[in-house]
Amino acid sequence: MTAVLRAPRLLDGPATVQGAETLAEHNARLGRLADFPDGTLIDMIDSAGLRGRGGAGYPTARKWAAVRERSGGNAVVVANGAETEPLSAKDRLLMTSRPHLVLDGILLAIEAVRAGRAVVYISRAHDEAHAAMLTAIGERRRAGDLTVPLSLVRAPHRYVAGEESAAVAHINGGAARPSVVPPRPYERGVDGRPTLVQNIETLAHAALIARHGAAPHRDSGTEGAAGTVLVTMAAAIHTPGVHEIRGGSTVAEAVSAGGGATGSVAALLVGGYFGRWIGADDAWDLRLGIDVPLGSGVIAVFPHGRCGVAQTAAIVGFLARESARQCGPCEHGLAALAATTGELATGRAKPRDAERLQRWIAQIAGRGACHHPDGALVLLSSALRVFGGDVATHLRRGRCDRDRAPLLPAPDWTGRRR
């Protein structure tokens, strides 16, 4: 049995939706939104069990209530569509195909938290999504649906630019650099106001909950993982791309929804580049969002015959290049990890280098100015465990006999900060 559902759904098809839905088409398909005065939608979202789809999985109702409590009618809503995870495409698909569903979520959030301004935050590399949202906003203006100023802000195409504090910093005119230093955006964010930064997929789910009620969302997932989720299937999968599956589906069900693996599977990368490698023998029965974090909604199927050490070295190198460069753990720690992992992949490492990686992982954890180093450490730690046999072969023989060409992208964006 696969995990693909019929309704309520964010998408009509599993992977591709052609063209952006117009406002007339959107209203004909779903009907117009009802009003939810006095924060009643927050109670409905709480009952639905909706959690954020941007990576952290934080309860959405709790986040909205924290902003509403501080708002005074002056809060800001930021729809976060930066999506700079190299493998992820789910938020772009929603913006380019269902822009009015996204806008419904924004309008509902504005009403729920009593906001006086809203911003859609989109990477400068995602021109199609930007164009679709711009057109949809124009339709809403002509329809008289916008009650507060709503603007589009282009984000630098950097991995760290999508973190909520980085988004707030850039909208305020600064560099898109994340921070763990208080105050958090819900306390003081854009223009110094309480700010709700919410992922695009989460807002779209809120729009469906407003129409269908809490129970359908809750019941379309599993206990502990309500609702459907959008996952981007990548690498050795028959139907790569975005698929909508039941929350709490097993890894095996997700792979089945993507048409199955193209061959024998060695490991899976779950959660994107801030996720973790899981050996195939251990992965299939794990429930997404329950037993293993879904993170950015990415599942990459890694086949036998490919070198997991070389692939991990490429990803760690990417994360080191994409660091915020605002603290030692990022500037020096990730660079050292990337260099040593690269030497391990190319056969130049010594046994002490593997020990050094483990020691550095322990020393760097939790010491960054943001969570970027920690995300890279989770990925690297899981790789050293899952690909331990390959690591030992590289140390003993210099290299393994597997294909060392990276299957997953590790782009170099350092020279073109669009």
Side-chain angles (χ1 to χ4, degrees):
M1 182 183 76
T2 67
V4 178
L5 295 186
R6 294 296 179 188
R9 294 176 61 90
L10 297 173
L11 304 173
D12 286 338
T16 56
V17 180
Q18 298 298 322
E21 195 171 45
T22 66
L23 179 58
E25 291 167 340
H26 170 74
N27 286 337
R29 184 170 64 90
L30 292 175
R32 294 185 64 85
L33 280 175
D35 291 326
F36 292 88
D38 302 323
T40 54
L41 179 62
I42 296 178
D43 294 332
M44 185 181 291
I45 288 173
D46 184 38
S47 179
L50 177 62
R51 289 179 173 267
R53 300 296 199 258
Y58 192 79
T60 302
R62 192 180 305 170
K63 192 171 187 178
W64 289 27
V67 176
R68 180 181 174 85
E69 181 181 310
R70 294 164 174 79
S71 172
N74 200 36
V76 179
V77 171
V78 175
N80 191 351
E83 196 167 47
T84 52
E85 160 67 49
L87 293 175
S88 182
K90 66 185 184 69
D91 294 328
R92 273 174 285 164
L93 181 58
L94 282 173
M95 289 186 286
T96 55
S97 62
R98 297 288 182 255
H100 287 287
L101 188 65
V102 174
L103 284 172
D104 278 353
I106 294 172
L107 293 174
L108 289 164
I110 289 169
E111 183 178 27
V113 306
R114 298 184 295 162
R117 178 188 175 190
V119 176
V120 183
Y121 183 71
I122 303 176
S123 169
R124 292 173 187 162
H126 303 331
D127 291 336
E128 187 179 0
H130 178 265
M133 291 302 298
L134 192 63
T135 298
I137 290 170
E139 289 185 281
R140 291 301 182 115
R141 285 201 176 104
R142 291 189 292 274
D145 290 344
L146 300 185
T147 57
V148 303
L150 174 60
S151 60
L152 282 163
V153 172
R154 304 302 295 268
H157 197 58
R158 299 188 57 194
Y159 192 79
V160 298
E163 196 274 339
E164 66 173 18
S165 63
V168 167
H170 186 66
I171 294 168
N172 280 336
R177 292 176 177 166
S179 173
V180 293
V181 178
R184 301 305 298 164
Y186 77 91
E187 297 170 309
R188 188 166 71 245
V190 175
D191 299 333
R193 309 180 195 180
T195 299
L196 172 69
V197 184
Q198 197 71 77
N199 165 261
I200 290 293
E201 183 188 344
T202 314
L203 291 166
H205 276 295
L208 288 184
I209 291 168
R211 286 183 167 85
H212 299 288
H217 178 87
R218 189 174 58 247
D219 296 343
S220 64
T222 58
E223 186 175 356
T228 64
V229 293
L230 297 182
V231 293
T232 309
M233 304 297 300
I237 189 87
H238 279 292
T239 310
V242 180
H243 298 265
E244 188 167 6
I245 64 174
R246 182 186 298 274
S249 295
T250 64
V251 171
E253 288 173 327
V255 172
S256 178
T262 58
S264 178
V265 179
L268 297 102
L269 180 60
V270 180
Y273 289 179
F274 268 13
R276 64 204 67 207
W277 290 105
I278 305 172
D281 290 342
D282 300 320
W284 302 118
D285 292 332
L286 295 177
R287 297 166 297 170
L288 298 167
I290 300 175
D291 300 323
V292 58
L294 188 53
S296 60
V298 167
I299 301 176
V301 180
F302 198 73
H304 282 293
R306 292 276 184 164
C307 178
V309 176
Q311 180 64 78
T312 299
I315 296 173
V316 174
F318 165 77
L319 293 174
R321 292 191 298 273
E322 286 298 300
S323 80
R325 291 180 170 81
Q326 59 183 347
C327 68
C330 252
E331 180 73 18
H332 305 297
L334 289 190
L337 288 171
T340 304
T341 308
E343 290 177 354
L344 181 62
T346 55
R348 298 193 301 269
K350 307 299 182 189
R352 65 175 180 274
D353 290 323
E355 298 169 1
R356 187 178 297 161
L357 285 175
Q358 296 287 5
R359 185 171 69 254
W360 287 343
I361 287 170
Q363 290 173 342
I364 295 171
R367 297 186 178 181
C370 69
H371 294 301
H372 185 75
D374 292 333
L377 298 179
V378 169
L379 178 104
L380 179 56
S381 295
S382 68
L384 294 175
R385 181 175 61 255
V386 171
F387 301 119
D390 289 346
V391 170
T393 299
H394 278 245
L395 289 173
R396 186 176 65 254
R397 292 170 38 192
R399 295 180 182 177
C400 63
D401 57 1
R402 303 180 191 277
D403 185 348
R404 293 189 301 278
L407 181 63
L408 308 179
D412 189 349
W413 293 335
T414 56
R416 52 179 186 87
R417 297 295 192 203
R418 291 186 59 195

